[in-house]
CSV table of all heavy atoms in Angstrom, one decimal:
chain,number,residue,atom,x,y,z
A,1,MET,N,-3.5,-15.9,-2.4
A,1,MET,CA,-3.8,-15.0,-3.6
A,1,MET,C,-4.9,-15.7,-4.4
A,1,MET,O,-5.0,-16.9,-4.5
A,1,MET,CB,-2.5,-15.0,-4.4
A,1,MET,CG,-2.7,-14.0,-5.6
A,1,MET,SD,-1.1,-13.8,-6.4
A,1,MET,CE,-1.3,-14.8,-7.8
A,2,ALA,N,-5.8,-14.8,-4.9
A,2,ALA,CA,-6.9,-15.3,-5.7
A,2,ALA,C,-6.4,-15.9,-7.0
A,2,ALA,O,-5.6,-15.3,-7.7
A,2,ALA,CB,-7.9,-14.2,-5.9
A,3,VAL,N,-7.0,-17.0,-7.4
A,3,VAL,CA,-6.6,-17.7,-8.6
A,3,VAL,C,-7.9,-17.8,-9.5
A,3,VAL,O,-8.9,-18.3,-9.0
A,3,VAL,CB,-6.0,-19.1,-8.4
A,3,VAL,CG1,-5.7,-19.7,-9.7
A,3,VAL,CG2,-4.8,-19.0,-7.5
A,4,PRO,N,-7.9,-17.3,-10.7
A,4,PRO,CA,-9.1,-17.4,-11.5
A,4,PRO,C,-9.4,-18.9,-11.9
A,4,PRO,O,-8.5,-19.7,-12.1
A,4,PRO,CB,-8.7,-16.6,-12.8
A,4,PRO,CG,-7.3,-16.6,-12.8
A,4,PRO,CD,-6.8,-16.6,-11.4
A,5,LYS,N,-10.7,-19.2,-11.9
A,5,LYS,CA,-11.1,-20.6,-12.2
A,5,LYS,C,-10.9,-20.9,-13.7
A,5,LYS,O,-10.7,-22.0,-14.1
A,5,LYS,CB,-12.6,-20.8,-11.8
A,5,LYS,CG,-12.8,-20.8,-10.4
A,5,LYS,CD,-14.2,-21.2,-10.0
A,5,LYS,CE,-14.4,-21.3,-8.6
A,5,LYS,NZ,-14.3,-22.6,-8.0
A,6,ARG,N,-11.0,-19.8,-14.5
A,6,ARG,CA,-10.9,-20.0,-16.0
A,6,ARG,C,-10.1,-18.9,-16.6
A,6,ARG,O,-10.0,-17.8,-16.1
A,6,ARG,CB,-12.3,-20.0,-16.6
A,6,ARG,CG,-13.2,-21.1,-16.2
A,6,ARG,CD,-14.5,-21.1,-16.9
A,6,ARG,NE,-15.2,-22.2,-16.4
A,6,ARG,CZ,-16.4,-22.5,-16.7
A,6,ARG,NH1,-17.1,-21.7,-17.5
A,6,ARG,NH2,-17.1,-23.5,-16.1
A,7,ARG,N,-9.5,-19.2,-17.7
A,7,ARG,CA,-8.8,-18.2,-18.5
A,7,ARG,C,-9.8,-17.2,-19.1
A,7,ARG,O,-10.8,-17.7,-19.7
A,7,ARG,CB,-8.0,-18.9,-19.5
A,7,ARG,CG,-7.2,-17.9,-20.4
A,7,ARG,CD,-6.4,-18.7,-21.4
A,7,ARG,NE,-5.8,-17.7,-22.3
A,7,ARG,CZ,-4.6,-17.7,-22.7
A,7,ARG,NH1,-3.8,-18.7,-22.3
A,7,ARG,NH2,-4.1,-16.8,-23.5
A,8,THR,N,-9.5,-16.0,-19.0
A,8,THR,CA,-10.3,-14.9,-19.7
A,8,THR,C,-9.8,-14.8,-21.1
A,8,THR,O,-8.6,-14.6,-21.3
A,8,THR,CB,-10.2,-13.6,-18.9
A,8,THR,OG1,-10.5,-13.8,-17.6
A,8,THR,CG2,-11.1,-12.6,-19.5
A,9,SER,N,-10.7,-14.7,-22.0
A,9,SER,CA,-10.3,-14.6,-23.4
A,9,SER,C,-9.6,-13.3,-23.7
A,9,SER,O,-9.9,-12.3,-23.0
A,9,SER,CB,-11.5,-14.8,-24.4
A,9,SER,OG,-12.3,-13.7,-24.2
A,10,ARG,N,-8.8,-13.2,-24.7
A,10,ARG,CA,-8.2,-11.9,-25.1
A,10,ARG,C,-9.2,-10.9,-25.4
A,10,ARG,O,-9.0,-9.7,-25.0
A,10,ARG,CB,-7.3,-12.2,-26.3
A,10,ARG,CG,-6.5,-10.9,-26.7
A,10,ARG,CD,-5.7,-11.2,-27.9
A,10,ARG,NE,-4.6,-12.1,-27.6
A,10,ARG,CZ,-3.8,-12.7,-28.5
A,10,ARG,NH1,-3.9,-12.3,-29.8
A,10,ARG,NH2,-2.8,-13.5,-28.1
A,11,SER,N,-10.3,-11.2,-26.1
A,11,SER,CA,-11.3,-10.3,-26.4
A,11,SER,C,-12.0,-9.7,-25.2
A,11,SER,O,-12.2,-8.5,-25.1
A,11,SER,CB,-12.4,-11.0,-27.3
A,11,SER,OG,-13.5,-10.1,-27.5
A,12,ASN,N,-12.3,-10.5,-24.2
A,12,ASN,CA,-13.0,-10.0,-23.0
A,12,ASN,C,-12.0,-9.2,-22.2
A,12,ASN,O,-12.4,-8.2,-21.6
A,12,ASN,CB,-13.4,-11.2,-22.1
A,12,ASN,CG,-14.7,-11.8,-22.7
A,12,ASN,OD1,-15.4,-11.2,-23.5
A,12,ASN,ND2,-15.0,-13.0,-22.2
A,13,THR,N,-10.7,-9.6,-22.1
A,13,THR,CA,-9.8,-8.8,-21.4
A,13,THR,C,-9.6,-7.4,-22.0
A,13,THR,O,-9.6,-6.4,-21.3
A,13,THR,CB,-8.4,-9.5,-21.4
A,13,THR,OG1,-8.6,-10.8,-20.8
A,13,THR,CG2,-7.4,-8.7,-20.6
A,14,ARG,N,-9.4,-7.3,-23.3
A,14,ARG,CA,-9.3,-6.0,-24.0
A,14,ARG,C,-10.5,-5.2,-23.9
A,14,ARG,O,-10.4,-4.0,-23.8
A,14,ARG,CB,-8.8,-6.2,-25.4
A,14,ARG,CG,-7.4,-6.8,-25.5
A,14,ARG,CD,-6.9,-7.0,-26.9
A,14,ARG,NE,-5.6,-7.5,-26.8
A,14,ARG,CZ,-4.9,-7.9,-27.9
A,14,ARG,NH1,-5.5,-8.0,-29.0
A,14,ARG,NH2,-3.7,-8.3,-27.8
A,15,HIS,N,-11.7,-5.8,-24.0
A,15,HIS,CA,-12.9,-5.1,-23.9
A,15,HIS,C,-13.0,-4.4,-22.5
A,15,HIS,O,-13.4,-3.3,-22.3
A,15,HIS,CB,-14.1,-6.0,-24.1
A,15,HIS,CG,-15.4,-5.3,-24.1
A,15,HIS,ND1,-15.8,-4.4,-25.1
A,15,HIS,CD2,-16.4,-5.3,-23.2
A,15,HIS,CE1,-17.0,-3.9,-24.8
A,15,HIS,NE2,-17.4,-4.5,-23.6
A,16,ARG,N,-12.7,-5.2,-21.4
A,16,ARG,CA,-12.8,-4.7,-20.1
A,16,ARG,C,-11.8,-3.5,-19.9
A,16,ARG,O,-12.1,-2.5,-19.3
A,16,ARG,CB,-12.5,-5.8,-19.1
A,16,ARG,CG,-12.6,-5.3,-17.6
A,16,ARG,CD,-12.2,-6.4,-16.7
A,16,ARG,NE,-10.8,-6.7,-16.8
A,16,ARG,CZ,-10.2,-7.9,-17.2
A,16,ARG,NH1,-11.0,-8.9,-17.5
A,16,ARG,NH2,-8.9,-8.1,-17.2
A,17,ARG,N,-10.6,-3.7,-20.4
A,17,ARG,CA,-9.5,-2.6,-20.2
A,17,ARG,C,-9.9,-1.4,-21.0
A,17,ARG,O,-9.5,-0.3,-20.5
A,17,ARG,CB,-8.2,-3.2,-20.7
A,17,ARG,CG,-7.6,-4.2,-19.7
A,17,ARG,CD,-6.3,-4.7,-20.2
A,17,ARG,NE,-5.7,-5.7,-19.3
A,17,ARG,CZ,-4.7,-6.5,-19.6
A,17,ARG,NH1,-4.2,-6.4,-20.8
A,17,ARG,NH2,-4.3,-7.4,-18.7
A,18,ALA,N,-10.5,-1.5,-22.1
A,18,ALA,CA,-10.8,-0.4,-23.0
A,18,ALA,C,-11.9,0.5,-22.3
A,18,ALA,O,-12.0,1.7,-22.7
A,18,ALA,CB,-11.3,-0.8,-24.3
A,19,ARG,N,-12.7,0.0,-21.4
A,19,ARG,CA,-13.8,0.8,-20.8
A,19,ARG,C,-13.3,1.7,-19.7
A,19,ARG,O,-14.0,2.7,-19.4
A,19,ARG,CB,-14.9,-0.2,-20.2
A,19,ARG,CG,-15.6,-0.9,-21.3
A,19,ARG,CD,-16.6,-1.9,-20.6
A,19,ARG,NE,-17.5,-1.2,-19.7
A,19,ARG,CZ,-18.7,-0.8,-19.9
A,19,ARG,NH1,-19.2,-1.0,-21.1
A,19,ARG,NH2,-19.4,-0.2,-19.0
A,20,TRP,N,-12.1,1.4,-19.2
A,20,TRP,CA,-11.6,2.2,-18.1
A,20,TRP,C,-11.1,3.5,-18.6
A,20,TRP,O,-10.3,3.5,-19.6
A,20,TRP,CB,-10.5,1.5,-17.4
A,20,TRP,CG,-10.0,2.2,-16.2
A,20,TRP,CD1,-10.5,2.2,-14.9
A,20,TRP,CD2,-8.9,3.1,-16.1
A,20,TRP,NE1,-9.8,3.0,-14.1
A,20,TRP,CE2,-8.8,3.6,-14.8
A,20,TRP,CE3,-8.0,3.6,-17.1
A,20,TRP,CZ2,-7.8,4.5,-14.4
A,20,TRP,CZ3,-7.0,4.5,-16.7
A,20,TRP,CH2,-6.9,4.9,-15.4
A,21,LYS,N,-11.5,4.6,-18.0
A,21,LYS,CA,-11.0,5.9,-18.4
A,21,LYS,C,-10.6,6.7,-17.2
A,21,LYS,O,-11.3,6.7,-16.2
A,21,LYS,CB,-12.1,6.7,-19.2
A,21,LYS,CG,-12.6,6.0,-20.4
A,21,LYS,CD,-11.6,6.2,-21.6
A,21,LYS,CE,-12.2,5.8,-22.9
A,21,LYS,NZ,-11.7,4.5,-23.4
A,22,ALA,N,-9.5,7.4,-17.3
A,22,ALA,CA,-9.0,8.3,-16.2
A,22,ALA,C,-9.8,9.6,-16.3
A,22,ALA,O,-10.1,10.1,-17.4
A,22,ALA,CB,-7.5,8.6,-16.3
A,23,GLU,N,-10.1,10.2,-15.1
A,23,GLU,CA,-10.9,11.4,-15.1
A,23,GLU,C,-10.0,12.5,-14.6
A,23,GLU,O,-9.1,12.3,-13.7
A,23,GLU,CB,-12.1,11.3,-14.2
A,23,GLU,CG,-13.1,10.3,-14.6
A,23,GLU,CD,-14.3,10.2,-13.7
A,23,GLU,OE1,-14.3,10.9,-12.6
A,23,GLU,OE2,-15.2,9.4,-13.9
A,24,ALA,N,-10.2,13.7,-15.1
A,24,ALA,CA,-9.5,14.9,-14.6
A,24,ALA,C,-9.9,15.2,-13.2
A,24,ALA,O,-11.1,15.0,-12.8
A,24,ALA,CB,-9.7,16.1,-15.5
A,25,PRO,N,-9.0,15.6,-12.3
A,25,PRO,CA,-9.4,15.9,-10.9
A,25,PRO,C,-10.3,17.1,-10.8
A,25,PRO,O,-10.2,18.0,-11.7
A,25,PRO,CB,-8.1,16.2,-10.2
A,25,PRO,CG,-7.2,16.6,-11.3
A,25,PRO,CD,-7.6,15.9,-12.5
A,26,HIS,N,-11.3,17.1,-9.9
A,26,HIS,CA,-12.2,18.2,-9.7
A,26,HIS,C,-11.4,19.3,-9.0
A,26,HIS,O,-10.8,19.2,-7.9
A,26,HIS,CB,-13.3,17.8,-8.8
A,26,HIS,CG,-14.3,18.8,-8.5
A,26,HIS,ND1,-15.1,19.4,-9.5
A,26,HIS,CD2,-14.6,19.5,-7.4
A,26,HIS,CE1,-15.9,20.3,-9.0
A,26,HIS,NE2,-15.6,20.4,-7.7
A,27,LEU,N,-11.3,20.5,-9.7
A,27,LEU,CA,-10.6,21.6,-9.2
A,27,LEU,C,-11.5,22.7,-8.6
A,27,LEU,O,-12.6,22.9,-9.0
A,27,LEU,CB,-9.8,22.3,-10.4
A,27,LEU,CG,-8.8,21.4,-11.1
A,27,LEU,CD1,-8.2,22.1,-12.3
A,27,LEU,CD2,-7.8,20.8,-10.2
A,28,VAL,N,-10.9,23.3,-7.5
A,28,VAL,CA,-11.7,24.3,-6.8
A,28,VAL,C,-10.8,25.5,-6.6
A,28,VAL,O,-9.5,25.4,-6.5
A,28,VAL,CB,-12.2,23.8,-5.4
A,28,VAL,CG1,-13.2,22.7,-5.5
A,28,VAL,CG2,-11.0,23.4,-4.5
A,29,PRO,N,-11.3,26.7,-6.6
A,29,PRO,CA,-10.5,27.9,-6.5
A,29,PRO,C,-10.0,28.1,-5.0
A,29,PRO,O,-10.8,28.0,-4.1
A,29,PRO,CB,-11.4,29.1,-6.9
A,29,PRO,CG,-12.8,28.5,-6.7
A,29,PRO,CD,-12.7,27.1,-6.9
A,30,VAL,N,-8.7,28.4,-4.8
A,30,VAL,CA,-8.2,28.6,-3.5
A,30,VAL,C,-7.3,29.9,-3.6
A,30,VAL,O,-6.5,30.0,-4.5
A,30,VAL,CB,-7.3,27.4,-3.0
A,30,VAL,CG1,-6.7,27.7,-1.7
A,30,VAL,CG2,-8.2,26.2,-2.9
A,31,THR,N,-7.4,30.8,-2.6
A,31,THR,CA,-6.5,32.0,-2.6
A,31,THR,C,-5.3,31.7,-1.7
A,31,THR,O,-5.4,31.4,-0.6
A,31,THR,CB,-7.3,33.1,-2.0
A,31,THR,OG1,-8.5,33.3,-2.8
A,31,THR,CG2,-6.5,34.4,-2.1
A,32,VAL,N,-4.1,31.8,-2.4
A,32,VAL,CA,-2.8,31.5,-1.7
A,32,VAL,C,-2.0,32.7,-2.0
A,32,VAL,O,-1.7,33.1,-3.1
A,32,VAL,CB,-2.2,30.2,-2.2
A,32,VAL,CG1,-0.8,30.0,-1.5
A,32,VAL,CG2,-3.1,29.1,-2.1
A,33,ASP,N,-1.5,33.4,-0.9
A,33,ASP,CA,-0.7,34.6,-1.0
A,33,ASP,C,-1.3,35.7,-1.9
A,33,ASP,O,-0.6,36.3,-2.7
A,33,ASP,CB,0.7,34.2,-1.5
A,33,ASP,CG,1.5,33.3,-0.6
A,33,ASP,OD1,1.1,33.4,0.6
A,33,ASP,OD2,2.3,32.6,-1.0
A,34,GLY,N,-2.6,35.8,-1.8
A,34,GLY,CA,-3.3,36.9,-2.6
A,34,GLY,C,-3.6,36.5,-4.0
A,34,GLY,O,-4.2,37.2,-4.8
A,35,ARG,N,-3.2,35.3,-4.5
A,35,ARG,CA,-3.4,34.8,-5.8
A,35,ARG,C,-4.4,33.7,-5.8
A,35,ARG,O,-4.3,32.8,-4.9
A,35,ARG,CB,-2.2,34.3,-6.5
A,35,ARG,CG,-1.2,35.4,-6.8
A,35,ARG,CD,0.1,34.9,-7.3
A,35,ARG,NE,-0.2,34.1,-8.5
A,35,ARG,CZ,0.7,33.3,-9.1
A,35,ARG,NH1,1.9,33.2,-8.6
A,35,ARG,NH2,0.4,32.6,-10.2
A,36,GLU,N,-5.4,33.7,-6.7
A,36,GLU,CA,-6.4,32.6,-6.7
A,36,GLU,C,-5.9,31.6,-7.7
A,36,GLU,O,-5.4,31.8,-8.8
A,36,GLU,CB,-7.7,33.2,-7.2
A,36,GLU,CG,-8.8,32.1,-7.1
A,36,GLU,CD,-10.2,32.8,-7.3
A,36,GLU,OE1,-10.5,33.7,-6.5
A,36,GLU,OE2,-10.9,32.3,-8.2
A,37,ARG,N,-5.9,30.3,-7.2
A,37,ARG,CA,-5.4,29.2,-8.0
A,37,ARG,C,-6.5,28.1,-8.0
A,37,ARG,O,-7.3,28.0,-7.1
A,37,ARG,CB,-4.1,28.6,-7.4
A,37,ARG,CG,-3.0,29.6,-7.3
A,37,ARG,CD,-1.8,28.9,-6.8
A,37,ARG,NE,-1.6,27.7,-7.7
A,37,ARG,CZ,-0.5,27.3,-8.2
A,37,ARG,NH1,0.5,28.0,-8.0
A,37,ARG,NH2,-0.5,26.2,-8.9
A,38,LEU,N,-6.4,27.2,-9.0
A,38,LEU,CA,-7.3,26.1,-9.1
A,38,LEU,C,-6.5,24.9,-8.6
A,38,LEU,O,-5.5,24.6,-9.2
A,38,LEU,CB,-7.8,25.9,-10.5
A,38,LEU,CG,-8.8,26.9,-11.0
A,38,LEU,CD1,-9.2,26.7,-12.4
A,38,LEU,CD2,-10.1,26.9,-10.1
A,39,VAL,N,-7.0,24.2,-7.6
A,39,VAL,CA,-6.2,23.0,-7.0
A,39,VAL,C,-7.2,21.9,-6.8
A,39,VAL,O,-8.4,22.1,-6.7
A,39,VAL,CB,-5.6,23.4,-5.7
A,39,VAL,CG1,-4.5,24.4,-5.9
A,39,VAL,CG2,-6.5,23.8,-4.6
A,40,PRO,N,-6.7,20.7,-6.8
A,40,PRO,CA,-7.6,19.5,-6.6
A,40,PRO,C,-8.2,19.6,-5.2
A,40,PRO,O,-7.6,20.1,-4.2
A,40,PRO,CB,-6.7,18.3,-6.7
A,40,PRO,CG,-5.5,18.8,-7.5
A,40,PRO,CD,-5.4,20.2,-7.2
A,41,VAL,N,-9.4,19.1,-5.0
A,41,VAL,CA,-10.1,19.2,-3.7
A,41,VAL,C,-9.3,18.6,-2.6
A,41,VAL,O,-9.2,19.2,-1.5
A,41,VAL,CB,-11.5,18.5,-3.8
A,41,VAL,CG1,-12.2,18.4,-2.5
A,41,VAL,CG2,-12.4,19.2,-4.8
A,42,HIS,N,-8.7,17.4,-2.8
A,42,HIS,CA,-8.0,16.8,-1.7
A,42,HIS,C,-6.7,17.4,-1.3
A,42,HIS,O,-6.1,17.1,-0.3
A,42,HIS,CB,-7.8,15.3,-2.0
A,42,HIS,CG,-6.8,15.1,-3.2
A,42,HIS,ND1,-7.2,15.2,-4.5
A,42,HIS,CD2,-5.5,14.7,-3.2
A,42,HIS,CE1,-6.1,15.0,-5.3
A,42,HIS,NE2,-5.1,14.7,-4.5
A,43,LEU,N,-6.3,18.5,-2.0
A,43,LEU,CA,-5.0,19.2,-1.7
A,43,LEU,C,-5.3,20.6,-1.2
A,43,LEU,O,-4.3,21.3,-0.9
A,43,LEU,CB,-4.1,19.3,-2.9
A,43,LEU,CG,-3.6,18.0,-3.4
A,43,LEU,CD1,-2.8,18.2,-4.7
A,43,LEU,CD2,-2.8,17.3,-2.4
A,44,VAL,N,-6.5,21.0,-1.0
A,44,VAL,CA,-6.9,22.3,-0.5
A,44,VAL,C,-6.2,22.7,0.8
A,44,VAL,O,-5.6,23.7,1.0
A,44,VAL,CB,-8.4,22.5,-0.5
A,44,VAL,CG1,-8.7,23.9,0.2
A,44,VAL,CG2,-9.0,22.5,-1.9
A,45,ARG,N,-6.3,21.8,1.8
A,45,ARG,CA,-5.8,22.0,3.1
A,45,ARG,C,-4.3,22.2,3.1
A,45,ARG,O,-3.7,23.0,3.7
A,45,ARG,CB,-6.2,21.0,4.1
A,45,ARG,CG,-7.7,21.1,4.5
A,45,ARG,CD,-8.2,20.1,5.5
A,45,ARG,NE,-7.2,19.3,6.1
A,45,ARG,CZ,-7.5,18.2,6.9
A,45,ARG,NH1,-8.7,17.9,7.0
A,45,ARG,NH2,-6.6,17.5,7.5
A,46,ALA,N,-3.6,21.4,2.3
A,46,ALA,CA,-2.2,21.4,2.2
A,46,ALA,C,-1.7,22.7,1.5
A,46,ALA,O,-0.7,23.3,2.0
A,46,ALA,CB,-1.6,20.2,1.3
A,47,PHE,N,-2.4,23.2,0.5
A,47,PHE,CA,-2.1,24.5,-0.1
A,47,PHE,C,-2.3,25.6,0.9
A,47,PHE,O,-1.4,26.5,1.0
A,47,PHE,CB,-3.0,24.8,-1.3
A,47,PHE,CG,-2.3,24.3,-2.6
A,47,PHE,CD1,-2.6,23.1,-3.1
A,47,PHE,CD2,-1.4,25.1,-3.2
A,47,PHE,CE1,-2.0,22.6,-4.3
A,47,PHE,CE2,-0.8,24.7,-4.4
A,47,PHE,CZ,-1.1,23.5,-4.9
A,48,ARG,N,-3.4,25.6,1.7
A,48,ARG,CA,-3.6,26.7,2.7
A,48,ARG,C,-2.6,26.7,3.8
A,48,ARG,O,-2.2,27.8,4.3
A,48,ARG,CB,-5.0,26.5,3.2
A,48,ARG,CG,-6.1,26.9,2.2
A,48,ARG,CD,-7.4,27.0,2.9
A,48,ARG,NE,-8.4,27.4,1.9
A,48,ARG,CZ,-9.7,27.0,1.8
A,48,ARG,NH1,-10.1,26.2,2.7
A,48,ARG,NH2,-10.5,27.4,0.9
A,49,ARG,N,-2.1,25.5,4.2
A,49,ARG,CA,-1.1,25.5,5.2
A,49,ARG,C,0.3,25.8,4.7
A,49,ARG,O,1.3,26.0,5.5
A,49,ARG,CB,-1.0,24.1,5.8
A,49,ARG,CG,-2.3,23.7,6.6
A,49,ARG,CD,-2.2,22.3,7.1
A,49,ARG,NE,-3.4,21.9,7.8
A,49,ARG,CZ,-3.6,20.7,8.3
A,49,ARG,NH1,-2.8,19.8,8.1
A,49,ARG,NH2,-4.8,20.5,8.9
A,50,GLY,N,0.5,25.9,3.4
A,50,GLY,CA,1.8,26.2,2.8
A,50,GLY,C,2.7,25.0,2.7
A,50,GLY,O,3.9,25.1,2.6
A,51,LEU,N,2.1,23.8,2.7
A,51,LEU,CA,2.9,22.5,2.6
A,51,LEU,C,3.3,22.2,1.1
A,51,LEU,O,4.3,21.5,0.9
A,51,LEU,CB,2.1,21.4,3.1
A,51,LEU,CG,1.8,21.5,4.6
A,51,LEU,CD1,0.9,20.3,5.0
A,51,LEU,CD2,3.0,21.5,5.5
A,52,LEU,N,2.6,22.8,0.2
A,52,LEU,CA,2.9,22.6,-1.2
A,52,LEU,C,3.3,23.9,-1.9
A,52,LEU,O,2.8,24.9,-1.5
A,52,LEU,CB,1.7,22.0,-2.0
A,52,LEU,CG,1.2,20.6,-1.5
A,52,LEU,CD1,-0.1,20.3,-2.2
A,52,LEU,CD2,2.2,19.6,-1.8
A,53,PRO,N,4.2,23.8,-2.8
A,53,PRO,CA,4.7,25.1,-3.5
A,53,PRO,C,3.5,25.7,-4.3
A,53,PRO,O,3.0,25.1,-5.2
A,53,PRO,CB,5.8,24.6,-4.4
A,53,PRO,CG,5.6,23.2,-4.6
A,53,PRO,CD,4.9,22.7,-3.4
A,54,GLY,N,3.1,26.9,-3.9
A,54,GLY,CA,2.0,27.5,-4.6
A,54,GLY,C,2.4,28.6,-5.5
A,54,GLY,O,1.6,29.3,-6.1
A,55,ARG,N,3.8,28.8,-5.6
A,55,ARG,CA,4.3,29.9,-6.4
A,55,ARG,C,4.9,29.3,-7.7
A,55,ARG,O,5.5,28.3,-7.7
A,55,ARG,CB,5.3,30.7,-5.7
A,55,ARG,CG,4.8,31.3,-4.4
A,55,ARG,CD,5.9,31.7,-3.5
A,55,ARG,NE,5.4,32.0,-2.2
A,55,ARG,CZ,5.2,31.1,-1.2
A,55,ARG,NH1,5.5,29.9,-1.5
A,55,ARG,NH2,4.8,31.5,-0.1
A,56,GLU,N,4.7,30.1,-8.8
A,56,GLU,CA,5.3,29.7,-10.1
A,56,GLU,C,6.1,30.8,-10.6
A,56,GLU,O,6.0,31.9,-10.4
A,56,GLU,CB,4.2,29.3,-11.1
A,56,GLU,CG,3.4,28.1,-10.6
A,56,GLU,CD,2.3,27.8,-11.6
A,56,GLU,OE1,1.9,28.6,-12.4
A,56,GLU,OE2,1.8,26.7,-11.5
């Protein structure tokens, strides 16, 4: 396991953590059972195959 050579100050740690932001997934329109839905790109094939519930 990697071990840091020095302790990181609280200021540097919090500054680094504060810069990270989550992004909303990129949505694309997909037609499932005659209804058009917006789904994340990496789930398009699963929706088309019927592996994920597409009905609400």
Side-chain angles (χ1 to χ4, degrees):
M1 187 170 103
V3 179
K5 289 187 179 260
R6 296 185 181 174
R7 179 181 172 134
T8 305
S9 70
R10 181 182 294 173
S11 175
N12 284 342
T13 300
R14 290 181 177 169
H15 182 71
R16 182 184 68 244
R17 288 179 181 166
R19 290 177 56 97
W20 184 87
K21 300 281 189 257
E23 296 179 0
H26 180 66
L27 302 177
V28 294
V30 176
T31 303
V32 179
D33 295 335
R35 292 178 55 194
E36 189 167 300
R37 302 188 47 137
L38 293 175
V39 298
V41 174
H42 66 281
L43 295 177
V44 170
R45 287 181 11 192
F47 267 94
R48 286 190 178 146
R49 292 179 183 172
L51 300 176
L52 296 174
R55 297 164 196 84
E56 292 178 345

